[in-house]
Structure formats: structure tokens, C-alpha cells
Amino acid sequence: MGRAVMVGREPTGAGVLVLSILIILTAEGCRAQKGDGCGPSVLGPSSGTLSSLGYPGTYPNNTVCEWEISVPRGNRVHFRFAELDIEDSNCQVNYLRLYNGIGPERSGIVKYCGLRVKVKELIESTGNQVTVQFMSGTHHTGRGFYLSYSTTEQTDLITCLDKGTDFPEAEFSKYCPAGCLTSTEEISGTIPNGYRESSPVCVAAVHAGVVSNAAGGRINVVSSKGIPHYEATLANNVTSTGGTLSNSLFTFRTNGCYGTLGLESSGVADTQLSASSVWEWNNILGQDSVWAPSGARLKRAGLPWASSQMDQQQWLQVDLKREKRITGITTTGSTLREYQYYVSAYRLLYSNDGQQWFIYGEADSSQDKIFQGNTNYLHEVRNNFIPPIEARFVRINPTLWHQRIALKLELLGCQNTNTVRPGPRMFPPSRRTPPPAGTKRPPHLGGTTHTPDIRNTTMPPHTGKDAALAAVLVPVLVMVLTALILIVVCAWHWRSRKKSSEGAYDLPHWDRTDWWKSMKQLLPSKMVETEDLVRYSSSEVGRLSGRGAVPRLHAEPAEYAQPLVSGVTTLGARSTFKPDEGPDPGYSDPDLYDAPISPDVYHAYAEPLPASGSEYATPIVIDMGCHPSGGSSLNQPPAVCGFMGARTDGGHSGRSAYDTPKNATGQVTPTEDLTYQVPQSSTQKPTGKS
């Protein structure tokens, strides 16, 4: 069985590192391909991809190429075209033809010639061997052709150009051919978030590590709602680009063996990491700088591992303590701006006992697998193993580096299971002769990184629904909680205001006005402090008449005469304020105190003054010691004093702390329940002293 592998895809953004062309001839000595018109192609034992030279550009004039394909006996081959665009000006020298068989015994299947020809059906052979012939003469247009093939067992074969938008199903399964890295189509996204729906499905599958470029394979795809941003990463020789919001995306369903194996999380101890050599040096501050293997942990700050020697015999080793299933590796450079070191290509060795080592090789070949490493010191690069490795010890052997060998890494995989997949061919290191130290030639990157089954990278179909439900419920819950908090705060604030306002209604009216607050400044401090303790009797207020609907007075004090308070010795002369001038006497003011009093109604508190006397009522003087006031000319002895005495201008004193009303003869009539001076009857002429 013969097969040819030609890999010609350059990862986007991967610098000047170009994938080498490999032609592998095996088994039955069949000619794989010949001619000068062959484009990038991968011819595998069960599937592959073919293209004309220069595709997707115009193919050259006067060229020819023949591909000879063989699949296992008992199988047949079928072809699916991704594009067919051959100038038809002269179909005798410009055409693509398929034959049953190889060599002189072959027979034609079909011949194509024409621009933008749509071939939707599968083209089948009658046996297990097929020859594909492409010829070109002089022409001016045409992109050539691009097709895929597989055994007829894979009835759902697709091409490397089929995109997520070409499949409307929410979930589907297809077969990807080998060699899809020959496509120049770009992908956008990464695992586990998913890929933009405009990405080629099979190229994304190689990037995700679901299938390998060298062998192809079956993929299970799940479509879901798009995301706002798609990350750009380099994995398995494929560079995905960043992307913005899209309507939908797709991911891959796998069987779940893609967890980290403990380097980042310190599940792997420092004693489990070792290296061929360690770089040590003194910095400008005289401090020792050791780039030890313990620093080779992905996403960890600090110095990475770096070797003291710069040759291809250096290695970094990880001991997992027991055999595990290893499906991939992620590496990065130093991650230090001042030391921009990184490994750009490496081999991978593994062992179960630490003594006998095997090099991971290309699938179905004796070639060492050279993995593409980092393209800068900072960003991560992932490579997957298809098939995976079953081993306890793993060694990374750098073959190409930038400035100095330095790296950090993380192994991907899971615990070993009873079901063991066929492993890669194992070769003792003694069979390998590494290139000379310090070589600068590019490594042989055989096609693409052999990617294992990435297990936990698939987004289940219901994930999109859960995300949409969460996107609705979270704002609703936030609004409800915010409303509850506002209600509680408002209730607390209202209750606090209510408590602070209690008792304010018992204060005098003028005490709640700015006018009265300014008047308080003219009064003695003790009087201001104790005025709220006094309550006024309104027993005589009911005698007023002529006020009609005016309500009765209860606790509000009069606005004109201030009450006398015990403990105050004297009150400054003529401290009674002048009442405001009111409107016409006939006007009925709802304010009981500011309104003027009609002539036929006496004021309830202050005794009227004579026309010849003072304009205002004189203050009442309190004598705490029961001694005559210096301003009085009367020599009458004071009355018997209790704990305090009160004296009016008439010289009379008693237990009452305030003036009491006089009777018709001008005598003071003591009253136990009266605490204010009330007006005299209408027949008595008021008297007073200035």
C-alpha cells in the first residue's frame, strides 16, 4: 500500500515557520504521485486531500500531476469535490480525470473540464486503487481543484472547506478527511468556548484536537448560540484568529479526558520535576538567579526552567508517580519581558519505568514527531496526542529555541482506564541521532500535531439554553433584591423620621418658628431651658364669647405674656413684646393668638393697660427670698412665703407664681387652679402701675 503525504499549510501568525513537505512511500512500492502540477496533498491509507498547484490561486500553465491512491483490500474509494474550476477553452489539455486502478490496466471513471463546476454527488471507484490525473495547458483563468476522499465506509464524508453554516442541524456527526491543513481557510475561536459558525468544521476539529491532520476521523458537532468574542490561539499547527459577536457557534462532543495533570495546581510536587541541567547566574544585585525545574509550571509567576547548555540533548522531565493517560501538552516561554526566551520545536519522550524511553512518532510511520512550540515568549501553544500516551514519565526534548532554552508547561489528560487505545509506535532513544547542537535548521513538522480526543471541550446542547435562562434570571433577581433593599431603607427612614418628630406637636407654636427662636436670645437662659416644662391652664378660656366657630384653647400658650418660672430671680423691665398689628377688628382670623380681639371681648391673658399708663404690661417680678423689690415703693410686709414667693406691682404675694385676676373691688382673689392673669369684668376699670 502506497501513500504520499504533502503538507503545505502555514499557520496564520506563526512567523516564518513553514511546514515541510513529506513524501512517504511504503509497503507495495506503488508510485504515490508524480509530475510538476501537484499541489499540497495528504494521501492517507483511509482518507486524504488533493489539490492543484497554486490553489486557491490560478494553477500554472503546461503542468501535469498524477496521484495513485490505494486503500485496504476489500474497500472502495469515493471522492467529494470542494471546488472544481478548470478553464474550458481546450478540454483536450485542461482537465481532471479519475481512473479505476493504477498503471496501464486502469480505466476511466469520469473527466471534468469547466469553470465553477458544481459536483455534489460522491464519485465512487470499483476497486481499492484509484489514479487521479490533472493536466493543464495554456490558460488565463481557473483556480484548479480541491477534493477529499475516503473509503466508502464513511458515507458522510465532507470536505475541508465545509463550514458550520453549511449544516443547519443543532447536532450532527460527519467524517473529516486527512490533510485539512492544506486548506487556506481561517478559523475563529478555541476550546472550550467554541468556534465561530463561519469556520471550516474540519480545520477547527484539528485545532481542537478532536482529529489529527495526518489521519482524519469522525467528529460530533454541537451548535449553540454565539458569544461576543472569540479568542485567538495557536494549537496543533493551526492558528485561530480573534472574532466578534456571531449568531451561532459550534463545539465538539468528546468523551472527556482533557483535564490538567497537576503542574499548575501543585498536584505535581517540585521533587517530581527534574532536568538535564539548570541555568544559574548572579544578577546585577549580586543575588543568585536559579532557573530550576520547579519554575516550569504553566501560569505561575517567576523564573521558568532554563538549561545551562544550549544543545539538543537537554530535557525537562515530569514524574506523574503512576501511569496516566496523557492527551496533550500546553507550553509557553519565559513569560518575562526582560528574558524573551522560548522553545519553538521539541520532541516528546515517555516511559513507564524511567529507564527505557520511547519517542512519540508520526502515525503509521517511523518518523519522530516534531511538535511546533511557541512563537513568542508569552503566549501559550497547545499540542494534542492522537493516539494518546499511556505513561508515568514524560520528557520534553527541545530541538529549536529562541536565544535560550526556557519553558513552562502543563500536561493534559486523565487517569488511566482499563480501555487502552492503540498507542503510537515506540522507538528506543538509541535509534535516534539528534541533529548537531545549536542547529538552526527548522524541525520536520510532520503535517500537524497529533491531537488526542479532547474530552471535556464540548459544550452540551442545553448549555446555550442555560446561558440564555441565566441571562434573563440574573437581571430579574438583581432588580427584585434592589427593590426589597429600597423598601427596607425607605421604611427605616420613615420610622426614624416619625420617632424624631414625636413630641414636636406639644411644643409651643412660636417655638417652632424662626421668629420665636430669635426672641429666645433676649430671654434669660434658665427661662428658655425650663419653658417647655410649663403647661398652661385653659379653664378660663371657655368664658370667652363672640368668637363663634373659633375652637377652644387647650395647651397652646398665649403669645403675649410669658409664664413665670420658678428659680428666676427677676425679669428685665418692659420685656413683654408688643403684639403684631392685626387687620380690622371685624376680621375673624383662624389663628387664636395673632388675631385682634374685638372690643367686647377681653383678652384671655394680659390685663388691659390704662390710657395714661404704659403702653405695654409691666413684667411680673419674682422674689426668691421674699424680700421687697428695689423698684417698689410700697412698705407692706410680704405674705407668708413657701419655698418661693411671687410679688405683683400691687405688692400682694401668695403661693401662686403668677398674677391672678382681681374681683370687682380690686382685691386679689386667690384661685388654686389658675396660673395666669385673666381679664377683669367689663364694669371694672383696669388699673396698673408703670
Side-chain angles (χ1 to χ4, degrees):
M1 178 177 63
R3 62 190 180 91
V5 180
M6 295 184 63
V7 179
R9 177 183 174 89
E10 178 182 0
T12 303
V16 296
L17 185 62
V18 181
L19 299 180
S20 305
I21 297 177
L22 302 178
I23 300 178
I24 304 169
L25 302 177
T26 61
E28 303 172 1
C30 297
R31 293 167 296 173
Q33 70 179 27
K34 62 182 179 180
D36 57 356
C38 304
S41 303
V42 173
L43 306 182
S46 57
S47 68
T49 302
L50 288 71
S51 66
S52 59
L53 185 62
Y55 180 86
T58 302
Y59 53 93
N61 293 326
N62 304 315
T63 59
V64 62
C65 183
E66 286 189 0
W67 295 267
E68 295 176 347
I69 301 170
S70 295
V71 297
R73 296 182 184 275
N75 291 281
R76 293 177 296 159
V77 184
H78 60 188
F79 298 85
R80 184 176 292 281
F81 282 87
E83 186 170 2
L84 182 59
D85 188 39
I86 302 173
E87 186 176 301
D88 55 0
S89 60
N90 186 355
C91 288
Q92 296 298 321
V93 294
N94 290 289
Y95 63 86
L96 177 70
R97 178 175 286 178
L98 278 63
Y99 296 91
N100 281 313
I102 296 175
E105 304 297 328
R106 67 190 184 188
S107 59
I109 301 175
V110 65
K111 178 183 178 181
Y112 293 104
C113 175
L115 296 173
R116 293 178 294 278
V117 177
K118 300 296 183 183
V119 183
K120 297 182 179 180
E121 66 276 6
L122 287 169
I123 309 301
E124 293 189 12
S125 69
T126 58
N128 70 316
Q129 292 183 328
V130 176
T131 300
V132 178
Q133 184 185 65
F134 175 66
M135 290 191 67
S136 68
T138 302
H139 65 283
H140 301 286
T141 60
R143 290 158 55 96
F145 74 94
Y146 193 66
L147 63 81
S148 301
Y149 75 90
S150 72
T151 61
T152 53
E153 295 175 345
Q154 312 300 339
T155 58
D156 50 1
L157 171 70
I158 61 176
T159 72
C160 300
L161 300 185
D162 290 328
K163 302 179 179 180
T165 52
D166 297 327
F167 306 99
E169 302 92 340
E171 187 171 354
F172 58 90
S173 177
K174 299 293 178 181
Y175 187 85
C176 286
C180 279
L181 293 193
T182 58
S183 167
T184 58
E185 296 292 323
E186 292 186 346
I187 64 171
S188 180
T190 187
I191 56 171
N193 299 328
Y195 298 87
R196 193 183 180 93
E197 79 275 17
S198 59
S199 303
V201 175
C202 291
V203 179
V206 174
H207 182 273
V210 177
V211 298
S212 71
N213 180 69
R218 180 160 298 281
I219 59 173
N220 297 295
V221 183
V222 178
S223 298
S224 60
K225 187 178 179 181
I227 57 178
H229 177 71
Y230 295 90
E231 184 180 358
T233 59
L234 174 59
N236 302 315
N237 293 351
V238 182
T239 299
S240 68
T241 61
T244 56
L245 176 67
S246 65
N247 293 328
S248 62
L249 58 79
F250 62 86
T251 54
F252 299 97
R253 185 182 296 280
T254 59
N255 54 7
C257 188
Y258 194 55
T260 58
L261 294 183
L263 275 82
E264 178 185 349
S265 63
S266 297
V268 174
D270 290 347
T271 56
Q272 296 173 243
L273 300 174
S274 58
S276 57
S277 63
V278 176
W279 186 34
E280 299 183 23
W281 59 283
N282 293 330
N283 57 25
I284 58 177
L285 300 178
Q287 299 173 343
D288 291 337
S289 179
V290 180
W291 300 54
S294 58
R297 299 176 184 271
L298 194 70
K299 301 183 186 299
R300 286 289 190 90
L303 297 176
W305 166 72
S307 64
S308 60
Q309 304 297 321
M310 294 296 105
D311 58 54
Q312 293 189 357
Q313 306 302 320
Q314 304 305 307
W315 47 263
L316 175 68
Q317 176 177 308
V318 180
D319 179 6
L320 299 174
K321 290 300 185 181
R322 57 181 175 177
E323 185 177 306
K324 292 188 178 182
R325 190 181 185 91
I326 306 168
T327 60
I329 182 174
T330 302
T331 61
T332 186
S334 66
T335 68
L336 302 173
R337 183 183 295 273
E338 58 273 27
Y339 306 107
Q340 298 187 13
Y341 311 143
Y342 58 89
V343 173
S344 54
Y346 58 90
R347 295 186 186 91
L348 189 133
L349 296 84
Y350 56 96
S351 172
N352 286 323
D353 57 8
Q355 301 297 323
Q356 186 179 12
W357 292 90
F358 303 93
I359 302 176
Y360 192 90
E362 291 284 357
D364 301 311
S365 76
S366 60
Q367 293 285 327
D368 292 350
K369 173 66 177 178
I370 303 298
F371 294 94
Q372 180 180 346
N374 297 88
T375 58
N376 56 57
Y377 72 98
L378 182 61
H379 296 111
E380 298 176 6
V381 174
R382 173 174 46 83
N383 285 290
N384 297 105
F385 310 141
I386 297 179
I389 298 171
E390 309 281 350
R392 169 182 170 178
F393 297 93
V394 175
R395 277 185 181 180
I396 294 86
N397 171 215
T399 60
L400 195 65
W401 54 88
H402 177 73
Q403 297 184 12
R404 175 173 288 277
I405 297 174
L407 63 83
K408 297 181 180 182
L409 65 89
E410 178 64 272
L411 295 175
L412 310 174
C414 58
Q415 299 296 329
N416 199 3
T417 59
N418 294 330
T419 302
V420 179
R421 295 182 52 181
R425 296 182 61 181
M426 298 180 293
F427 305 96
S430 59
R431 295 181 54 186
R432 308 300 179 195
T433 302
T439 180
K440 297 302 179 182
R441 64 179 177 82
H444 294 291
L445 301 184
T448 180
T449 300
H450 283 43
T451 45
D453 303 48
I454 298 181
R455 310 305 187 216
N456 51 356
T457 62
T458 300
M459 185 181 298
H462 62 275
T463 303
K465 296 180 180 179
D466 293 343
L469 183 60
V472 174
L473 291 180
V474 170
V476 172
L477 292 176
V478 171
M479 293 177 64
V480 171
L481 291 176
T482 303
L484 291 176
I485 292 173
L486 288 175
I487 291 173
V488 171
V489 171
C490 291
W492 176 82
H493 183 66
W494 176 81
R495 187 172 182 181
S496 299
R497 290 188 59 186
K498 183 177 179 181
K499 287 183 177 181
S500 63
S501 62
E502 289 180 359
Y505 305 104
D506 295 335
L507 296 176
H509 174 72
W510 53 81
D511 203 7
R512 301 194 303 268
T513 62
D514 294 337
W515 178 80
W516 173 243
K517 290 178 181 179
S518 63
M519 291 298 299
K520 281 185 176 182
Q521 300 176 2
L522 303 176
L523 299 177
S525 58
K526 290 186 178 182
M527 179 177 180
V528 175
E529 292 172 358
T530 57
E531 65 179 5
D532 290 340
L533 301 176
V534 182
R535 292 297 180 266
Y536 311 110
S537 174
S538 57
S539 59
E540 293 295 325
V541 176
R543 299 179 183 179
L544 298 177
S545 59
R547 300 288 287 184
V550 177
R552 295 175 60 89
L553 302 178
H554 297 286
E556 295 282 354
E559 188 175 341
Y560 305 125
Q562 286 295 313
L564 299 177
V565 184
S566 60
V568 180
T569 57
T570 59
L571 225 153
R574 305 187 61 85
S575 63
T576 303
F577 58 87
K578 179 181 179 179
D580 294 337
E581 296 294 336
D584 297 337
Y587 172 77
S588 177
D589 196 324
D591 194 324
L592 300 178
Y593 309 115
D594 292 340
I597 307 300
S598 58
D600 56 342
V601 179
Y602 293 103
H603 195 277
Y605 304 101
E607 182 179 3
L609 299 175
S612 59
S614 301
E615 184 178 356
Y616 308 113
T618 56
I620 303 170
V621 180
I622 301 174
D623 189 351
M624 297 295 296
C626 295
H627 301 292
S629 175
S632 176
S633 59
L634 298 178
N635 295 324
Q636 295 178 357
V640 177
C641 297
F643 83 98
M644 69 168 60
R647 185 170 58 87
T648 65
D649 290 349
H652 300 282
S653 63
R655 289 175 300 171
S656 177
Y658 306 97
D659 288 354
T660 56
K662 300 178 182 180
N663 55 21
T665 60
Q667 300 297 323
V668 176
T669 305
T671 308
E672 293 294 332
D673 59 345
L674 290 180
T675 59
Y676 298 92
Q677 181 178 354
V678 297
Q680 298 176 353
S681 62
S682 57
T683 58
Q684 179 66 34
K685 295 293 184 178
T687 60
K689 295 181 181 292
S690 57

